[in-house]
Amino acid sequence: MLPAPAFLANPERFMAFSRWAAPLFGALAVVLATAGLWLTFQVPEDYQQGDTVRILFIHAPAAQLGLFVYACLGVASFLALVFRHVLADAAARAAAPLGAAFTLLALVTGSLWGQPMWGTWWVWDARLTSVLILFLFYVAYMALRASLDDEAKAARAGAILAMVGLINLPIVYFSVEWWNTLHQGSSTFAGEGKGLAPVYRPPFYLMSLAYMSAFGSLWLVRIRGEVWRRRAEAAALRAARA
Amino acid sequence: MLDLDASPYAAFVWPAFAITALVFAWMVASSLAHARRWKRKALEGDRQRSERT
Protein backbone atom coordinates (compact mmCIF):
# COMPACT_ATOMS: atom_id res chain seq x y z
CA MET A 1 0.00 0.00 0.00
CA LEU A 2 1.35 3.41 -0.92
CA PRO A 3 1.74 5.99 1.83
CA ALA A 4 -0.86 8.73 2.01
CA PRO A 5 0.12 12.14 0.50
CA ALA A 6 0.27 13.69 3.98
CA PHE A 7 3.05 11.29 4.85
CA LEU A 8 5.04 12.65 1.89
CA ALA A 9 4.64 16.27 2.97
CA ASN A 10 7.78 15.85 5.07
CA PRO A 11 10.80 16.37 2.72
CA GLU A 12 12.96 13.82 4.55
CA ARG A 13 10.25 11.17 4.31
CA PHE A 14 9.63 12.11 0.69
CA MET A 15 13.32 11.66 -0.16
CA ALA A 16 13.38 8.24 1.56
CA PHE A 17 10.17 7.16 -0.21
CA SER A 18 11.13 8.45 -3.65
CA ARG A 19 14.56 6.79 -3.51
CA TRP A 20 12.95 3.38 -4.02
CA ALA A 21 9.62 4.43 -5.56
CA ALA A 22 11.14 6.27 -8.57
CA PRO A 23 13.14 3.26 -9.90
CA LEU A 24 10.20 0.96 -9.10
CA PHE A 25 7.78 3.05 -11.19
CA GLY A 26 10.44 3.32 -13.90
CA ALA A 27 10.88 -0.46 -14.08
CA LEU A 28 7.10 -0.92 -14.11
CA ALA A 29 6.84 1.56 -17.00
CA VAL A 30 9.43 -0.38 -19.03
CA VAL A 31 7.61 -3.70 -18.47
CA LEU A 32 4.19 -2.21 -19.31
CA ALA A 33 5.52 -0.36 -22.38
CA THR A 34 7.25 -3.50 -23.67
CA ALA A 35 4.02 -5.51 -23.37
CA GLY A 36 1.96 -2.62 -24.75
CA LEU A 37 4.22 -2.12 -27.78
CA TRP A 38 4.25 -5.86 -28.45
CA LEU A 39 0.45 -5.88 -28.55
CA THR A 40 0.40 -2.62 -30.54
CA PHE A 41 2.05 -4.45 -33.45
CA GLN A 42 0.12 -7.69 -32.87
CA VAL A 43 -3.41 -6.34 -33.26
CA PRO A 44 -4.95 -6.33 -36.77
CA GLU A 45 -5.09 -3.07 -38.68
CA ASP A 46 -8.39 -1.19 -38.53
CA TYR A 47 -10.77 -1.67 -41.46
CA GLN A 48 -11.04 2.11 -41.94
CA GLN A 49 -7.85 3.54 -40.43
CA GLY A 50 -5.45 0.84 -41.58
CA ASP A 51 -2.12 0.86 -39.73
CA THR A 52 -2.63 4.43 -38.50
CA VAL A 53 -4.73 2.91 -35.70
CA ARG A 54 -1.39 2.02 -34.05
CA ILE A 55 -0.72 5.75 -33.54
CA LEU A 56 -3.75 5.77 -31.21
CA PHE A 57 -1.83 3.71 -28.64
CA ILE A 58 0.82 6.40 -28.25
CA HIS A 59 -1.36 9.44 -28.98
CA ALA A 60 -4.31 8.98 -26.60
CA PRO A 61 -2.20 8.15 -23.49
CA ALA A 62 -0.07 11.26 -24.20
CA ALA A 63 -3.24 13.38 -24.36
CA GLN A 64 -4.55 11.82 -21.12
CA LEU A 65 -1.24 12.54 -19.39
CA GLY A 66 -1.22 16.12 -20.69
CA LEU A 67 -4.50 16.67 -18.82
CA PHE A 68 -3.61 14.59 -15.76
CA VAL A 69 -0.24 16.29 -15.24
CA TYR A 70 -1.87 19.71 -15.49
CA ALA A 71 -4.38 18.64 -12.81
CA CYS A 72 -1.38 17.63 -10.63
CA LEU A 73 0.27 20.98 -11.37
CA GLY A 74 -2.92 22.82 -10.41
CA VAL A 75 -3.48 20.90 -7.16
CA ALA A 76 0.19 21.23 -6.14
CA SER A 77 0.05 24.97 -6.94
CA PHE A 78 -3.07 25.35 -4.80
CA LEU A 79 -1.37 23.57 -1.87
CA ALA A 80 1.76 25.68 -2.32
CA LEU A 81 -0.21 28.93 -2.49
CA VAL A 82 -2.61 28.25 0.39
CA PHE A 83 -0.44 26.21 2.77
CA ARG A 84 2.93 27.61 1.57
CA HIS A 85 4.30 24.11 1.44
CA VAL A 86 7.77 23.95 -0.10
CA LEU A 87 7.41 20.39 -1.37
CA ALA A 88 4.10 21.20 -3.08
CA ASP A 89 5.81 24.05 -4.94
CA ALA A 90 8.68 21.73 -5.91
CA ALA A 91 6.10 19.20 -7.18
CA ALA A 92 4.36 21.88 -9.25
CA ARG A 93 7.60 23.11 -10.78
CA ALA A 94 8.76 19.53 -11.48
CA ALA A 95 5.50 18.59 -13.22
CA ALA A 96 5.48 21.41 -15.79
CA PRO A 97 8.19 20.24 -18.25
CA LEU A 98 6.82 16.68 -18.19
CA GLY A 99 3.27 17.86 -18.82
CA ALA A 100 4.45 20.10 -21.65
CA ALA A 101 6.29 17.16 -23.23
CA PHE A 102 3.21 14.88 -23.04
CA THR A 103 0.97 17.59 -24.49
CA LEU A 104 3.42 18.28 -27.30
CA LEU A 105 3.51 14.54 -28.04
CA ALA A 106 -0.30 14.47 -28.19
CA LEU A 107 -0.32 17.38 -30.65
CA VAL A 108 2.42 15.97 -32.91
CA THR A 109 1.23 12.36 -32.98
CA GLY A 110 -2.34 13.56 -33.46
CA SER A 111 -1.21 15.62 -36.41
CA LEU A 112 0.59 12.59 -37.89
CA TRP A 113 -2.65 10.63 -37.58
CA GLY A 114 -4.80 13.50 -38.87
CA GLN A 115 -3.00 14.02 -42.17
CA PRO A 116 -3.78 10.57 -43.65
CA MET A 117 -7.21 10.23 -41.96
CA TRP A 118 -8.62 13.77 -42.15
CA GLY A 119 -6.51 15.02 -45.02
CA THR A 120 -5.04 17.85 -42.96
CA TRP A 121 -2.29 18.29 -40.37
CA TRP A 122 -4.33 20.74 -38.30
CA VAL A 123 -7.81 22.20 -37.92
CA TRP A 124 -8.90 24.90 -35.51
CA ASP A 125 -11.59 22.74 -33.94
CA ALA A 126 -12.40 22.95 -30.23
CA ARG A 127 -10.42 19.87 -29.12
CA LEU A 128 -7.21 20.67 -30.98
CA THR A 129 -7.34 24.36 -30.10
CA SER A 130 -8.00 23.74 -26.40
CA VAL A 131 -5.10 21.23 -26.26
CA LEU A 132 -2.86 23.82 -27.92
CA ILE A 133 -3.95 26.32 -25.23
CA LEU A 134 -3.11 23.68 -22.59
CA PHE A 135 0.41 23.43 -24.06
CA LEU A 136 0.72 27.23 -24.03
CA PHE A 137 -0.29 27.30 -20.35
CA TYR A 138 2.58 24.91 -19.59
CA VAL A 139 5.01 27.06 -21.57
CA ALA A 140 3.75 30.26 -19.94
CA TYR A 141 4.08 28.68 -16.46
CA MET A 142 7.71 27.67 -17.10
CA ALA A 143 8.56 31.01 -18.70
CA LEU A 144 7.01 32.95 -15.81
CA ARG A 145 8.90 30.95 -13.20
CA ALA A 146 12.17 31.33 -15.10
CA SER A 147 11.73 35.07 -15.59
CA LEU A 148 11.51 36.00 -11.89
CA ASP A 149 14.66 35.93 -9.75
CA ASP A 150 12.76 36.02 -6.46
CA GLU A 151 11.84 32.37 -5.80
CA ALA A 152 8.86 33.23 -3.54
CA LYS A 153 7.40 35.69 -6.07
CA ALA A 154 7.96 33.23 -8.91
CA ALA A 155 6.21 30.48 -6.96
CA ARG A 156 3.23 32.71 -6.14
CA ALA A 157 2.84 34.07 -9.68
CA GLY A 158 3.28 30.59 -11.17
CA ALA A 159 0.71 29.09 -8.79
CA ILE A 160 -1.90 31.72 -9.73
CA LEU A 161 -1.28 31.17 -13.44
CA ALA A 162 -1.46 27.37 -13.00
CA MET A 163 -4.78 27.65 -11.16
CA VAL A 164 -6.23 29.93 -13.84
CA GLY A 165 -5.25 27.28 -16.39
CA LEU A 166 -7.34 24.67 -14.57
CA ILE A 167 -10.40 26.25 -16.22
CA ASN A 168 -9.13 24.84 -19.51
CA LEU A 169 -9.20 21.18 -18.36
CA PRO A 170 -12.98 20.61 -18.55
CA ILE A 171 -13.00 22.59 -21.80
CA VAL A 172 -10.46 20.17 -23.29
CA TYR A 173 -12.27 17.11 -21.98
CA PHE A 174 -15.82 18.10 -22.95
CA SER A 175 -14.91 20.02 -26.11
CA VAL A 176 -15.96 17.06 -28.28
CA GLU A 177 -19.41 17.10 -26.67
CA TRP A 178 -19.97 20.85 -26.34
CA TRP A 179 -18.99 21.67 -29.91
CA ASN A 180 -19.23 20.00 -33.28
CA THR A 181 -15.60 18.96 -33.77
CA LEU A 182 -13.68 17.04 -36.40
CA HIS A 183 -11.97 15.22 -33.53
CA GLN A 184 -13.94 12.10 -32.55
CA GLY A 185 -15.64 11.74 -29.16
CA SER A 186 -14.27 9.86 -26.17
CA SER A 187 -13.10 6.36 -27.03
CA THR A 188 -12.29 5.32 -23.48
CA PHE A 189 -15.58 6.06 -21.71
CA ALA A 190 -17.89 5.76 -24.70
CA GLY A 191 -20.02 2.97 -23.20
CA GLU A 192 -20.70 -0.59 -24.26
CA GLY A 193 -20.71 -1.16 -28.00
CA LYS A 194 -19.21 2.26 -28.74
CA GLY A 195 -15.72 3.65 -28.87
CA LEU A 196 -12.67 1.44 -28.95
CA ALA A 197 -13.12 -2.07 -30.41
CA PRO A 198 -12.41 -4.78 -27.79
CA VAL A 199 -9.36 -6.04 -29.72
CA TYR A 200 -7.65 -2.65 -29.29
CA ARG A 201 -8.31 -2.29 -25.56
CA PRO A 202 -5.39 -4.36 -24.13
CA PRO A 203 -2.61 -2.41 -25.92
CA PHE A 204 -4.40 0.87 -25.22
CA TYR A 205 -4.75 0.23 -21.47
CA LEU A 206 -1.23 -1.16 -21.17
CA MET A 207 0.25 1.90 -22.90
CA SER A 208 -1.87 4.22 -20.74
CA LEU A 209 -0.56 2.53 -17.59
CA ALA A 210 3.00 2.63 -18.98
CA TYR A 211 2.75 6.40 -19.58
CA MET A 212 1.29 6.88 -16.09
CA SER A 213 4.09 4.85 -14.46
CA ALA A 214 6.73 6.70 -16.48
CA PHE A 215 5.29 10.01 -15.34
CA GLY A 216 5.23 8.81 -11.72
CA SER A 217 8.88 7.84 -11.89
CA LEU A 218 10.07 10.98 -13.70
CA TRP A 219 8.01 13.30 -11.50
CA LEU A 220 9.59 11.82 -8.37
CA VAL A 221 13.08 12.16 -9.91
CA ARG A 222 12.42 15.81 -10.82
CA ILE A 223 10.99 16.63 -7.38
CA ARG A 224 14.11 15.11 -5.84
CA GLY A 225 16.17 17.36 -8.11
CA GLU A 226 14.16 20.37 -6.92
CA VAL A 227 14.77 19.45 -3.27
CA TRP A 228 18.51 19.11 -3.96
CA ARG A 229 18.50 22.44 -5.87
CA ARG A 230 16.92 24.31 -2.96
CA ARG A 231 19.36 22.69 -0.55
CA ALA A 232 22.34 23.64 -2.77
CA GLU A 233 21.13 27.23 -3.16
CA ALA A 234 20.53 27.56 0.58
CA ALA A 235 24.09 26.29 1.21
CA ALA A 236 25.49 28.77 -1.34
CA LEU A 237 23.59 31.62 0.34
CA ARG A 238 24.92 30.64 3.76
CA ALA A 239 28.46 30.48 2.37
CA ALA A 240 28.10 33.93 0.79
CA ARG A 241 26.91 35.44 4.08
CA ALA A 242 29.68 33.80 6.14
CA MET B 1 3.90 -12.52 -35.18
CA LEU B 2 4.49 -8.77 -35.23
CA ASP B 3 2.97 -6.77 -38.06
CA LEU B 4 5.66 -4.17 -38.81
CA ASP B 5 4.50 -3.43 -42.35
CA ALA B 6 2.69 -0.11 -41.94
CA SER B 7 2.27 0.58 -45.66
CA PRO B 8 0.71 2.65 -47.10
CA TYR B 9 0.87 4.75 -43.91
CA ALA B 10 4.49 4.04 -42.88
CA ALA B 11 5.45 7.68 -43.49
CA PHE B 12 3.05 8.68 -40.68
CA VAL B 13 3.20 5.70 -38.31
CA TRP B 14 6.99 5.40 -37.91
CA PRO B 15 7.69 9.13 -37.39
CA ALA B 16 4.99 9.14 -34.67
CA PHE B 17 6.76 6.31 -32.83
CA ALA B 18 10.21 7.84 -33.45
CA ILE B 19 9.17 11.24 -32.06
CA THR B 20 7.58 9.56 -29.04
CA ALA B 21 10.82 7.65 -28.38
CA LEU B 22 12.85 10.87 -28.71
CA VAL B 23 10.61 12.82 -26.33
CA PHE B 24 10.73 10.02 -23.76
CA ALA B 25 14.53 9.86 -24.10
CA TRP B 26 14.67 13.63 -23.49
CA MET B 27 12.38 13.40 -20.45
CA VAL B 28 14.48 10.63 -18.88
CA ALA B 29 17.85 12.25 -19.67
CA SER B 30 16.90 15.75 -18.55
CA SER B 31 15.20 14.53 -15.35
CA LEU B 32 18.20 12.43 -14.33
CA ALA B 33 20.70 15.14 -15.31
CA HIS B 34 18.75 17.80 -13.34
CA ALA B 35 18.59 15.62 -10.21
CA ARG B 36 22.22 14.52 -10.40
CA ARG B 37 23.56 18.03 -11.03
CA TRP B 38 21.80 19.51 -8.01
CA LYS B 39 22.56 16.55 -5.78
CA ARG B 40 26.27 16.98 -6.58
CA LYS B 41 26.11 20.72 -5.82
CA ALA B 42 24.16 20.19 -2.60
CA LEU B 43 26.61 17.59 -1.34
CA GLU B 44 29.51 19.87 -2.33
CA GLY B 45 27.92 22.69 -0.31
CA ASP B 46 27.51 20.37 2.68
CA ARG B 47 31.16 19.30 2.40
CA GLN B 48 32.43 22.90 2.26
CA ARG B 49 30.28 23.80 5.23
CA SER B 50 31.64 20.93 7.33
CA GLU B 51 35.21 21.89 6.35
CA ARG B 52 34.66 25.46 7.59
CA THR B 53 33.23 24.38 10.95
Side-chain angles (χ1 to χ4, degrees):
Chain A
M1 187 177 148
L2 288 177
F7 169 81
L8 298 175
N10 179 313
E12 292 303 319
R13 283 182 195 158
F14 170 79
M15 293 302 267
F17 163 76
S18 59
R19 184 177 295 169
W20 61 264
L24 186 71
F25 281 132
L28 187 63
V30 170
V31 171
L32 289 167
T34 305
L37 283 171
W38 177 267
L39 287 178
T40 292
F41 292 99
Q42 279 265 337
V43 293
E45 57 185 61
D46 185 71
Y47 79 107
Q48 282 181 318
Q49 301 178 40
D51 278 292
T52 62
V53 73
R54 302 185 205 287
I55 297 176
L56 168 81
F57 307 126
I58 50 172
H59 163 73
Q64 289 171 344
L65 263 290
L67 284 175
F68 177 73
V69 176
Y70 199 92
C72 294
L73 171 61
V75 170
S77 295
F78 173 79
L79 294 174
L81 195 66
V82 173
F83 299 105
R84 303 195 177 240
H85 200 286
V86 179
L87 207 54
D89 180 52
R93 190 169 182 176
L98 300 174
F102 282 120
T103 310
L104 184 65
L105 263 184
L107 288 168
V108 173
T109 55
S111 189
L112 282 162
W113 180 89
Q115 172 59 23
M117 291 299 106
W118 293 341
T120 180
W121 297 102
W122 181 265
V123 283
W124 292 100
D125 86 349
R127 172 56 70 84
L128 274 69
T129 307
S130 57
V131 172
L132 179 64
I133 290 169
L134 177 68
F135 177 68
L136 294 177
F137 263 109
Y138 278 121
V139 173
Y141 176 85
M142 291 187 287
L144 181 62
R145 293 214 56 154
S147 66
L148 295 170
D149 287 332
D150 186 323
E151 183 98 15
K153 274 185 188 169
R156 202 160 47 245
I160 291 167
L161 176 67
M163 286 165 60
V164 170
L166 285 173
I167 296 166
N168 190 41
L169 296 190
I171 295 175
V172 174
Y173 188 79
F174 292 109
S175 56
V176 288
E177 293 176 22
W178 291 345
W179 291 282
N180 185 20
T181 59
L182 187 56
H183 193 285
Q184 64 268 40
S186 172
S187 304
T188 321
F189 303 108
E192 202 56 41
K194 297 177 185 172
L196 208 55
V199 70
Y200 296 132
R201 286 177 193 162
F204 176 75
Y205 291 134
L206 278 172
M207 291 303 282
S208 294
L209 288 172
Y211 274 52
M212 188 64 87
S213 300
F215 166 66
S217 175
L218 294 172
W219 196 23
L220 290 176
V221 169
R222 291 194 88 95
I223 298 171
R224 286 176 68 82
E226 273 298 302
V227 172
W228 287 118
R229 183 182 69 80
R230 283 157 204 240
R231 194 166 140 185
E233 287 180 353
L237 197 64
R238 273 197 305 271
R241 283 178 181 159
Chain B
M1 190 67 186
L2 295 180
D3 177 11
L4 297 175
D5 179 14
S7 58
Y9 300 115
F12 302 99
V13 173
W14 293 119
F17 279 86
I19 289 165
T20 300
L22 279 177
V23 169
F24 266 90
W26 173 82
M27 283 196 286
V28 171
S30 75
S31 299
L32 289 175
H34 174 260
R36 284 176 182 164
R37 182 172 68 245
W38 287 111
K39 183 180 181 181
R40 195 174 59 246
K41 286 187 179 179
L43 294 178
E44 204 174 296
D46 288 351
R47 189 179 51 78
Q48 285 172 355
R49 190 181 168 197
S50 63
E51 277 173 6
R52 276 198 303 272
T53 53

